[in-house]
Amino acid sequence: MRLPCPLCGDRDIREFTYKGGAEYLDRPAPEADDAAWDAYLHLRENPAGATRDLWYHGGGCGAWLVVERDTVTHAVTGARLAADMAEGGA
Amino acid sequence: MRYSAWEILKQGLTGNAGWKPVWRDPAPKAEYDIVIIGGGGHGLSTAYYLAREHGLTNVAVLEKGYIGGGNVGRNTTIVRANYFLPGNSEFYSHSLKLWEGLEEELNYNVMHSQRGLINLFHSDGQRDAFARRGNAMINQGDDAILLDREGVRRHLPYLDFDNVRFPVYGGLLHPRGGTARHDAVAWGYARGADSRGVDLIQNCEVTGIDIEGGKVKGVRTTRGEIRAKKVGIVVAGRSGQVAAMAGMRLPIESHILQAFVTEGLKPVIDHVVSFGMGHFYISQSDKGGLVFGGDLDFYASYAQRGNLPMKEHVMEAAMTLMPVIGKAKVLRSWGGIMDMTPDGSPIIDKTPVEGLYIDCGWCYGGFKAVPGSGFSFAHLMATDRHHAPAARYRLDRFRTGHGLMDEEGTGSQHNLH
Ligand SMILES: Cc1cc2nc3c(=O)[nH]c(=O)nc-3n(C[C@H](O)[C@H](O)[C@H](O)COP(=O)(O)OP(=O)(O)OC[C@H]3O[C@@H](n4cnc5c(N)ncnc54)[C@H](O)[C@@H]3O)c2cc1C
Ligand SMILES: [Zn+2]
């Protein structure tokens, strides 16, 4: 598997660390209740098929990426910088 | 038919014409008392113990593929009770005791082989951690022996003891640990459940769960609607998808775990051995193949096959520990879908929907749990009370923070186990 880093180009999966679903970008407010935090930290969509997840390019530019890929075929269809997508950006 | 030496002799002398299919192939009925979704090891053992321990036989197991086609037929077959934390400790201890009586009870040869399991350590700190684990195992009533370097050498003379980076300091021997034939366990429980009246329905995928007023009414399947008073979800890597049919999100992410087998060799590895400085563990099957594996690939996946980095890591770790196997040719590698929880421990619990129960989160360690999980889940479904050895496997422990069971001590977070 290779991931297309927007800054570095196509790079071997060994250069990246996986974090989890892109829902991690939607952090609840600090005062949100425990149900909201439980949902954020633990409960997962866990899709079989198209997914968006977070990867850290530690062996390259050091950026966090949102990768679009398929969990059934391992096809990778795109990647964007997480920094461009935070704060309500799509 | 009861299997025995006499039966084999009789069948052998009469042209082996008398063997019958081991379970029926029934059409689904319109209604059951209990429907179990998933015909893997855990679903089959649940059905068996519902019938055998609780006299509940109006039960169906619905399997979308064929019996034994999931992880129960894809694992590396290690059976052990060497857990450390309260919760896991008593559960796996109970499960191992069930294993020890299983062949006689099922009248089925599951090839359970208590050949001894040795976890190696390579530093003083690791020795202390294993000494502590061994004490926890002994406190639980199981067996553990701390071996020094020479003690390990007597069992495993072929290791590279003086490897410059990772010399072997010793190992924790768990004499009652070992392996079993994975398919046979599924078949043995299937036969036992079927002969007590349970309907095993294959090629029957559950596509929906019917809920009215907060109570489960039945399931929709590719073979029609089936009503049920109680429904149990036991679908391992597919837990998230099936739970979604009941509107639930689970603390589960599905990951890939790979395994490997070599061509058949003369006996060389007598035990189950695990490396303490990389992801590698190994045993030898009765056919002679070296069966080995490592860790997750560490990204969410339903592909049932993995990528090259973990393959390389496992092979490198193998060559570091036991260069003796370097010329063996790898025949196959494969992967299974692991239902990973944040703390790496399982869930056996009721759900917020009345009559709907769930048994999941077995991560990469659920084969050894097949008897214990079925026993405890059947107890919960039949009596609505938690079975003592599994009482800590609560669905809400991540939300409350009470009773997390993080054996590895790495943190209760999805990408860490
Ligand atoms: C490579 C590998 C090595 C492993 N090694 C070990 C080991 O050494 N020791 C150990 O203890 N554990 C090990 N495990 C873990 C163990 O195999 C699993 O934890 C355990 O088998 C999971 O439970 P199961 O047997 O019920 O799962 P499965 O056999 O996967 O059963 C689940 C069943 O549910 C069915 N299903 C799914 N969705 C539906 C639906 N909608 N409708 C109907 N049916 C459905 C599936 O088809 C499947 O048959 C390993 C796993 C893998 C992949
Ligand atoms: Zn990069």
Side-chain angles (χ1 to χ4, degrees), chain B residues 12 16 41 56 63 67 145 154 160 167 194 208 221 232 240 269 302 314 327 345 347 372 382 398 404 412 415:
Chain B
N16 282 314
L56 298 169
E63 166 54 49
I67 295 295
I145 301 169
R154 277 196 296 281
D160 183 4
D194 172 272
T221 80
I269 312 265
Y302 287 84
V314 169
K327 287 201 173 137
S345 291
I347 294 162
F398 306 101
L404 296 171
S412 181
N415 57 336

Side-chain angles (χ1 to χ4, degrees), chain A residues 1 13-14 18-21 23-24 34-35 38-39 41-48 55 69 71-74, chain B residues 238 241 249-255 298-303 305 307-309 312 342 398-399 413-415:
Chain A
M1 219 156 100
I13 195 181
R14 288 173 182 81
Y18 172 79
K19 169 72 180 169
E23 306 95 283
Y24 275 128
D34 65 329
D38 180 45
L41 290 169
H42 306 124
L43 304 182
R44 286 291 164 265
E45 226 42 80
N46 200 17
W55 298 72
R69 59 184 190 96
T71 57
V72 176
T73 63
H74 287 169
Chain B
R238 298 280 173 180
Q241 294 179 303
R249 284 206 304 164
L250 295 177
I252 285 192
E253 194 171 88
S254 294
H255 279 250
F298 277 108
Y299 46 84
S301 169
Y302 287 84
R305 66 189 148 72
N307 271 289
L308 199 54
E312 284 179 350
F398 306 101
R399 174 166 175 181
Q413 196 175 304
H414 271 295
N415 57 336

Side-chain angles (χ1 to χ4, degrees), chain B residues 29-298:
Chain B
K29 291 193 277 186
E31 180 162 7
Y32 291 92
D33 290 339
I34 297 182
V35 157
I36 301 294
I37 310 175
H42 293 236
L44 294 167
S45 63
T46 301
Y48 172 80
Y49 290 115
L50 280 170
R52 141 119 212 190
E53 295 295 313
H54 306 280
L56 298 169
T57 55
N58 187 21
V59 174
V61 177
L62 310 182
E63 166 54 49
K64 77 170 178 181
Y66 61 93
I67 295 295
N71 289 331
V72 73
R74 288 172 171 264
N75 63 77
T76 45
T77 78
I78 292 161
V79 174
R80 57 187 166 91
N82 60 350
Y83 283 71
F84 176 65
L85 294 176
N88 284 330
S89 206
E90 62 264 32
F91 174 82
Y92 287 102
S93 182
H94 177 244
S95 196
L96 184 57
K97 289 184 192 106
L98 292 174
W99 274 106
E100 289 171 338
L102 198 59
E103 299 187 336
E104 238 168 285
E105 166 159 0
L106 294 178
N107 176 232
Y108 205 86
N109 182 6
V110 302
M111 296 167 74
H112 183 212
S113 157
Q114 294 183 294
R115 54 186 66 182
L117 176 148
I118 300 179
N119 296 124
L120 297 168
F121 50 80
H122 311 263
S123 69
D124 291 332
Q126 264 193 331
R127 177 194 290 117
D128 290 350
F130 273 117
R132 189 162 171 238
R133 177 176 294 266
N135 288 336
M137 290 158 67
I138 290 166
N139 283 342
Q140 180 57 48
D142 294 317
D143 59 336
I145 301 169
L146 197 68
L147 300 174
D148 62 12
R149 195 176 149 89
E150 292 316 306
V152 172
R153 202 189 291 277
R154 277 196 296 281
H155 288 282
L156 314 175
Y158 50 79
L159 299 182
D160 183 4
F161 281 84
D162 298 314
N163 183 284
V164 275
R165 264 184 89 191
F166 306 123
V168 175
Y169 275 42
L172 185 65
L173 169 65
H174 172 34
R176 285 161 66 224
T179 60
R181 167 96 198 267
H182 48 10
D183 303 311
V185 176
W187 299 334
Y189 273 118
R191 172 172 172 262
D194 172 272
S195 68
R196 283 173 173 75
V198 171
D199 282 357
L200 306 178
I201 301 167
Q202 305 184 64
N203 298 313
C204 180
E205 178 170 358
V206 171
T207 55
I209 298 178
D210 289 324
I211 298 166
E212 279 168 34
K215 201 175 174 326
V216 77
K217 294 291 172 192
V219 295
R220 272 166 279 145
T221 80
T222 49
R223 296 179 68 174
E225 285 182 25
I226 302 173
R227 295 182 71 76
K229 298 190 183 73
K230 292 181 176 180
V231 173
I233 302 176
V234 204
V235 292
R238 298 280 173 180
S239 297
Q241 294 179 303
V242 175
M245 297 172 194
M248 292 164 59
R249 284 206 304 164
L250 295 177
I252 285 192
E253 194 171 88
S254 294
H255 279 250
I256 175 92
L257 181 70
Q258 305 193 59
F260 311 87
V261 66
T262 69
E263 61 194 332
L265 303 170
K266 291 263 171 66
V268 50
I269 312 265
D270 299 329
H271 309 72
V272 179
V273 184
S274 81
F275 187 31
M277 282 288 150
H279 302 296
F280 171 68
Y281 63 92
I282 188 167
S283 68
Q284 187 166 17
S285 80
D286 291 339
K287 273 197 297 190
L290 302 178
V291 180
F292 59 100
D295 207 344
L296 300 176
D297 272 27
F298 277 108

